[in-house]
Amino acid sequence: MRTLKIIFILLFFFNQTNLQAYSTNPKEFIFELVSDAISKLSDKSLTNEEKAKFIEKIALENVDIKALSLYTLGELRKSTEEEILLSYQTAFEKYFLKSLTSRLTDYSSSKFEVTNSDQKSANYTIIQSVVSPDSGDPEIKIDWRVYTKNPDKPLIRDLIVEGLSLARTQKEEFASILNSNNNDISILIKKLEEFLKK
Amino acid sequence: MAIFKLNFNRILGKIIYIARTMILKKIKSFVFIMVFTFLTVSNLKAADECFENFSRAIFNFNMAFDDVIMEPVAKGYNKLPNPIKTGASNFTSNIATLLSIPNNLLQGNFKQLGHSTASFVVNTSVGILGIFNPAEKMGLKPHQEDVGQTLGIYGFGPGCYLVLPILGPSTARDTIGLLADTFIDPFAHVTIRENELFGASGNAIDYYSVKGTSAVNFRSDNLINLESLEKNSLDLYSSYKSIYLQDRNNKIKNSTEDQDDWGNLDN
């Protein structure tokens, strides 16, 4: 009887953790994650604040924000002091989450379908998907660059919307700011912080 | 009198000869300067700017133009019933296919040449002047091609980046391509140059009306995207530049395959 009780308790916890986690297969991972996000974003019983909090939570768990912050810094990441790099990463994470929630609430009423999966290397798989807006506007092709170095925990590193990489756009935007300010990262951090105050 | 006539004809002949030589020399010099400039700038990386301050000023002007004219017009256009918007979009896309036909030929892309030509013929006839798009249902998917892309396929680099008034982001190659488009586009021949082609004729107003409708259609399709970009950018000018250059690169390759530049970022 006691063993049965323990099994029940374990099963309960196992199910609880499974409710939060997505598949480790990159294709299923993206489908489950985006379907979950769309269903939450289109849930009229949730406030915008609750939706934003949910998006932030899944982004923190499933997007490789640290790698993204280093990528967007370009070659400068190699020559930057650890301390400055850390404050840049902190500012970048806040900036990323704010811009992500603002972007995703704009695309809430859409249908989502994963169309293909292309393993580029042991570390990367590109998941191809299509978003069909309910408004009847043309469908949008979105590719997801999934980092699979740890096969038990796939992480999103980039979104390629109709062939346009959001990570690369961000990288080139930051490069322009850095180039016109003698590669001074503190100015970039200041701009990120100004954005957060808006 | 006869001698005077003979001398006069000789002098006139010489003047015409000198004038011709001078004009030819000027044309040659102009072509030389153009080709030299083009080849020089095409060796630059696309990220290089020729006149960034000027481009940023033009960009600000374009954004103001967008705020005052394009965005309100696009918002109004979006309120039109869907069949009207789809019809207008199909109509302008069908006309744009005309420019793709000679470009596909110049690129030696005969499969796409077939798609463009068949799509234009089917949509213009069965699709009632291109208002409907039966070609798509037949599996015809023409890519939009222009001289800038053709030059890219020939191996010309983009040259430096610049922003054109009203027309927006461009590169040295694409600006030359834009001018060349009006010489090889059959629609431009019929409208801007008022030539008759297969019984069709028009004027410059027709040309600019179609281009304007196409721009409004694009703007209305991207109302949310551009608003989101504007809201989330730290340097909007650079975001537009990056998006434009990525898009042109994809169009030249006829592929949206992501270029892996993540390098050794495996933490």
Side-chain angles (χ1 to χ4, degrees):
Chain A
M1 190 63 192
R2 200 181 162 207
T3 324
L4 203 66
K5 206 175 170 182
I6 291 167
I7 290 170
F8 267 111
I9 291 167
L10 284 174
L11 273 174
F12 175 75
F13 276 106
F14 178 73
N15 282 337
Q16 285 299 301
T17 45
N18 253 5
L19 281 174
Q20 303 297 322
Y22 300 111
S23 169
T24 53
N25 173 292
K27 199 173 170 180
E28 287 165 17
F29 162 64
I30 292 296
F31 180 75
E32 289 169 10
L33 184 133
V34 180
S35 301
D36 200 10
I38 286 177
S39 91
K40 279 283 190 304
L41 288 171
S42 54
D43 186 343
K44 284 173 185 158
S45 67
L46 295 177
T47 62
N48 278 347
E49 206 172 295
E50 286 170 324
K51 287 176 186 176
K53 272 194 178 161
F54 172 77
I55 294 296
E56 271 188 30
K57 187 176 173 288
I58 58 168
L60 282 167
E61 286 169 8
N62 301 291
V63 179
D64 199 348
I65 303 176
K66 190 185 167 197
L68 194 55
S69 70
L70 293 174
Y71 171 80
T72 51
L73 205 52
E75 291 299 303
L76 209 58
R77 67 175 181 266
K78 293 174 186 166
S79 55
T80 306
E81 284 174 38
E82 192 73 14
E83 202 182 324
I84 299 171
L85 209 55
L86 273 174
S87 51
Y88 162 73
Q89 284 178 316
T90 309
F92 179 85
E93 185 179 286
K94 286 178 188 161
Y95 163 76
F96 175 80
L97 293 173
K98 190 181 173 185
S99 63
L100 181 77
T101 48
S102 123
R103 271 176 195 175
L104 284 185
T105 43
D106 292 337
Y107 300 99
S108 52
S109 54
S110 306
K111 284 190 188 78
F112 179 76
E113 190 190 347
V114 171
T115 52
N116 201 13
S117 165
D118 181 11
Q119 185 172 357
K120 293 283 178 194
S121 65
N123 287 351
Y124 288 111
T125 299
I126 303 289
I127 306 298
Q128 293 165 357
S129 69
V130 171
V131 172
S132 316
D134 286 345
S135 58
D137 286 341
E139 58 181 33
I140 306 158
K141 282 182 197 158
I142 302 181
D143 291 353
W144 306 73
R145 175 177 282 273
V146 182
Y147 183 59
T148 48
K149 192 172 184 184
N150 176 0
D152 296 328
K153 183 66 192 151
L155 291 166
I156 298 164
R157 279 197 164 178
D158 192 9
L159 256 76
I160 301 123
V161 183
E162 292 286 344
L164 308 173
S165 156
L166 296 188
R168 183 183 290 188
T169 305
Q170 194 77 81
K171 182 184 179 182
E172 287 170 3
E173 189 184 356
F174 286 4
S176 167
I177 294 169
L178 290 165
N179 283 343
S180 49
N181 290 289
N182 296 321
N183 285 338
D184 186 348
I185 297 180
S186 63
I187 290 181
L188 178 60
I189 296 171
K190 206 175 153 191
K191 281 195 180 277
L192 290 169
E193 284 165 351
E194 277 167 12
F195 175 85
L196 294 169
K197 282 179 199 158
K198 275 201 277 182
Chain B
M1 196 66 181
I3 294 168
F4 174 74
K5 246 189 182 175
L6 195 68
N7 281 341
F8 177 76
N9 282 346
R10 259 190 200 167
I11 292 163
L12 194 68
K14 266 201 170 178
I15 289 170
I16 291 169
Y17 173 77
I18 292 164
R20 244 190 220 167
T21 318
M22 278 175 70
I23 290 167
L24 267 176
K25 262 188 184 172
K26 277 201 171 169
I27 290 172
K28 273 182 189 168
S29 313
F30 177 73
V31 170
F32 175 76
I33 290 166
M34 285 296 284
V35 171
F36 178 76
T37 311
F38 181 56
L39 288 176
T40 311
V41 293
S42 72
N43 284 331
L44 292 170
K45 275 188 246 162
D48 293 335
E49 302 255 4
C50 287
F51 358 80
E52 186 172 349
N53 290 341
F54 186 65
S55 287
R56 279 187 184 267
I58 299 286
F59 177 77
N60 290 337
F61 166 77
N62 287 352
M63 291 311 289
F65 177 79
D66 182 75
D67 283 345
V68 176
I69 296 179
M70 282 304 276
E71 196 182 341
V73 171
K75 279 183 176 166
Y77 177 85
N78 246 2
K79 285 179 184 150
L80 291 173
N82 268 344
I84 294 179
K85 283 193 288 177
T86 310
S89 168
N90 287 342
F91 178 75
T92 54
S93 296
N94 188 49
I95 288 175
T97 311
L98 276 171
L99 177 61
S100 304
I101 296 171
N103 277 296
N104 280 318
L105 193 67
L106 290 168
Q107 291 171 20
N109 190 341
F110 296 106
K111 189 183 170 194
Q112 267 301 313
L113 177 66
H115 275 257
S116 307
T117 312
S119 171
F120 181 76
V121 170
V122 169
N123 283 346
T124 307
S125 53
V126 184
I128 314 170
L129 295 175
I131 293 168
F132 300 99
N133 188 4
E136 194 179 31
K137 292 184 181 82
M138 292 166 66
L140 296 166
K141 287 178 186 166
H143 298 159
Q144 299 289 355
E145 300 291 337
D146 54 45
V147 176
Q149 291 173 65
T150 302
L151 290 170
I153 283 169
Y154 286 171
F156 288 100
C160 60
Y161 177 81
L162 58 136
V163 179
L164 299 171
I166 313 286
L167 300 171
S170 190
T171 58
R173 179 194 60 207
D174 293 343
T175 304
I176 291 170
L178 203 65
L179 291 171
D181 282 342
T182 64
F183 288 96
I184 70 159
D185 183 1
F187 183 60
H189 264 281
V190 169
T191 53
I192 298 176
R193 295 194 180 78
E194 299 187 7
N195 293 320
E196 205 176 291
L197 198 66
F198 302 114
S201 60
N203 56 39
I205 294 171
D206 298 328
Y207 183 83
Y208 294 112
S209 301
V210 168
K211 293 287 169 192
T213 309
S214 184
V216 170
N217 192 51
F218 173 82
R219 185 65 182 89
S220 76
D221 276 348
N222 289 286
L223 275 172
I224 295 176
N225 294 333
L226 297 180
E227 196 185 315
S228 174
L229 187 70
E230 199 171 340
K231 208 161 61 180
N232 294 297
S233 281
L234 297 184
D235 180 12
L236 191 58
Y237 173 86
S238 305
S239 296
Y240 269 86
K241 177 182 169 182
S242 172
I243 288 170
Y244 175 79
L245 294 174
Q246 286 184 61
D247 182 53
R248 289 301 287 175
N249 196 34
N250 290 338
K251 281 180 174 160
I252 289 166
K253 289 187 302 174
N254 284 332
S255 155
T256 54
E257 185 98 337
D258 176 43
Q259 282 181 330
D260 188 352
D261 68 339
W262 282 77
N264 54 3
L265 194 87
D266 288 342
N267 50 355

